[in-house]
Amino acid sequence: MSHELEQLRDTALGEISAAPDEQSLEAARVGYLGKSGSISVWGERMRGLSKEEKPIVGKLLNEARTAVAAAIEQRAAEFRASAETAALANIDITLPGQPAEIGGLHPLTQMLDRAISIFRRMGFALAEGPDVDTEWYCFDALNTAPDHPARNEQDTFYLPDGRLLRTHTSTVQIRTMMSAPPPIRVIAPGAAYRRDEVDATHSAQFHQIEGLYVDEKVSVADLKGTIEFFLRELLGQQTEIRFRPHYFPFTEPSFEFDVRSKAIKGGKWLELAGCGMVHPAVFEEVNRARGDDAYDPEKYTGFAFGLGMDRLAMLLFDIPDIRYFAQNDLRFLRQFA
Ligand code: DAH
């Protein structure tokens, strides 16, 4: 006949495997293995046993405890597993997942970032100015005559208060010189606005990078070297660059420059920007407004340039229509992400 402890163990194992839920399992654990559980109390009882009985009962007690504890842990694991299965029951794991959408940079931003990083390597700092500015910053200070056609309401957006949407980023040249004496070496990327007829190559809003370098003994050679370095870094060392004489009221002499590069489809010369040596009249007007002689035209010279970014981005990324930049069409934008 089996020992009482063995019977107790078998009853416990039967109860545990039949336990319908976690509460009844816990009740069984307390009933058998708890402090005064029916198996545990045998520990007390051992003391009253004879020398011969002690090891036999001790062994049985150990076996019963181990077996019952293992059975409880196994049944608990079954409950955990079925809870998990129930939680997943309504999820169809064969459905495709929902991809996390990752944004990308706008092609114009990418273009600007590339250009800015090249100028930074040449020591140009970033400068900025407001899109809404005054006639003085946009025209007067830049030596632009009161009857210059650019000032016309057909060409420029005026606000009711007389301010305007800057027609070029050259405003930032003046703002920079107003805020600090030479030497100055800045680039100013930003938007500019003109009342152009909107079509595939013209937009009322476009983007430029303005550059300004003022110091003693700055020459046309510095201007050419800077522009050439920039364009070869951007478009490749084989890039050809051509300077043509031009006219701007704020530079003398003035140039436009063109590039031809393998990076640009079609192999044609592309007009990229205007540039020149800062006109002494610009320095003089800045001095007058500053109330000092910081930009003494006898002492300082400087070069400036204004690079059109939209057309460059269109050519580099092979984009046929400038309007795509502002239409916010994801089918277009995703191609550059
Ligand atoms: N502001 C001129 C434009 O928008 C471009 C330009 C020409 C900028 C010559 C300059 C410059 O700084 O020196 O057409």
Side-chain angles (χ1 to χ4, degrees):
M1 219 191 87
S2 60
H3 191 272
E4 201 185 324
L5 257 171
E6 291 170 298
Q7 291 169 14
L8 203 52
R9 180 199 64 197
D10 292 342
T11 320
L13 293 179
E15 207 176 296
I16 288 162
S17 66
D21 51 38
E22 279 172 310
Q23 285 92 318
S24 17
L25 183 62
E26 175 61 9
R29 189 190 65 79
V30 172
Y32 291 104
L33 299 182
K35 229 182 189 173
S36 39
S38 49
I39 292 179
S40 309
V41 292
W42 274 87
E44 288 290 309
R45 242 177 254 174
M46 291 268 290
R47 273 187 234 158
L49 295 180
S50 69
K51 240 183 175 178
E52 294 74 35
E53 276 180 312
K54 260 188 189 165
I56 301 167
V57 174
K59 195 169 169 240
L60 286 174
L61 176 58
N62 257 339
E63 280 170 6
R65 267 198 196 123
T66 317
V68 170
I72 290 173
E73 177 43 43
Q74 193 199 330
R75 189 75 183 122
E78 285 169 22
F79 286 136
R80 284 198 298 271
S82 66
E84 210 166 274
T85 314
L88 293 173
N90 295 325
I91 298 172
D92 182 350
I93 57 164
T94 64
L95 282 176
Q98 288 192 346
E101 295 264 359
I102 299 174
L105 291 178
H106 191 281
L108 268 174
T109 307
Q110 295 182 29
M111 182 73 238
L112 279 170
D113 286 351
R114 271 158 79 171
I116 290 167
S117 77
I118 298 171
F119 281 117
R120 273 188 180 278
R121 275 158 51 205
M122 287 190 276
F124 283 82
L126 277 181
E128 58 179 12
D131 291 22
V132 174
D133 216 329
T134 63
E135 264 197 90
W136 186 76
Y137 279 107
C138 198
F139 299 124
D140 301 283
L142 287 159
N143 195 36
T144 306
D147 59 351
H148 193 282
R151 296 194 186 226
N152 199 300
E153 283 189 26
Q154 259 87 61
D155 291 322
T156 299
F157 293 104
Y158 285 92
L159 275 69
D161 65 6
R163 289 182 301 162
L164 47 74
L165 293 182
R166 65 181 178 193
T167 58
H168 51 184
T169 46
S170 303
T171 51
V172 187
Q173 289 186 29
I174 306 302
R175 289 190 166 271
T176 308
M177 289 191 278
M178 288 303 290
S179 69
I184 289 276
R185 200 180 332 177
V186 292
I187 50 165
Y193 307 82
R194 287 180 201 170
R195 275 185 186 266
D196 269 328
E197 192 76 47
V198 175
D199 62 23
T201 54
H202 296 84
S203 169
Q205 179 187 349
F206 55 100
H207 302 82
Q208 295 183 323
I209 291 186
E210 191 75 16
L212 175 68
Y213 180 25
V214 182
D215 203 346
E216 290 178 44
K217 301 195 178 80
V218 175
S219 70
V220 176
D222 297 316
L223 167 60
K224 279 192 78 179
T226 303
I227 297 296
E228 283 175 3
F229 179 83
F230 167 71
L231 292 172
R232 296 204 165 116
E233 287 296 300
L234 186 72
L235 304 172
Q237 294 306 311
Q238 309 308 317
T239 303
E240 296 172 87
I241 298 138
R242 163 172 101 177
F243 285 77
R244 285 179 288 102
H246 199 76
Y247 171 78
F248 295 103
F250 33 91
T251 42
E252 179 58 38
S254 305
F255 310 91
E256 276 191 333
F257 58 85
D258 310 325
V259 286
R260 191 159 66 172
S261 158
K262 287 203 186 78
I264 294 170
K265 264 195 179 171
K268 274 190 293 201
W269 283 102
L270 165 74
E271 182 191 317
L272 261 195
C275 61
M277 301 306 292
V278 179
H279 199 294
V282 173
F283 286 152
E284 272 155 18
E285 177 63 4
V286 166
N287 283 337
R288 191 197 59 75
R290 287 175 58 97
D292 62 15
D293 203 22
Y295 286 85
D296 179 358
E298 297 298 323
K299 188 170 175 201
Y300 292 105
T301 49
F303 68 70
F305 57 85
L307 270 161
M309 280 289 118
D310 303 73
R311 215 144 58 92
L312 194 53
M314 286 169 75
L315 285 151
L316 272 185
F317 297 134
D318 202 14
I319 296 167
D321 194 317
I322 196 172
R323 288 168 293 196
Y324 291 159
F325 285 139
Q327 281 169 345
N328 228 8
D329 186 334
L330 287 176
R331 292 169 304 176
F332 169 72
L333 296 171
R334 281 209 178 99
Q335 298 176 58
F336 307 96

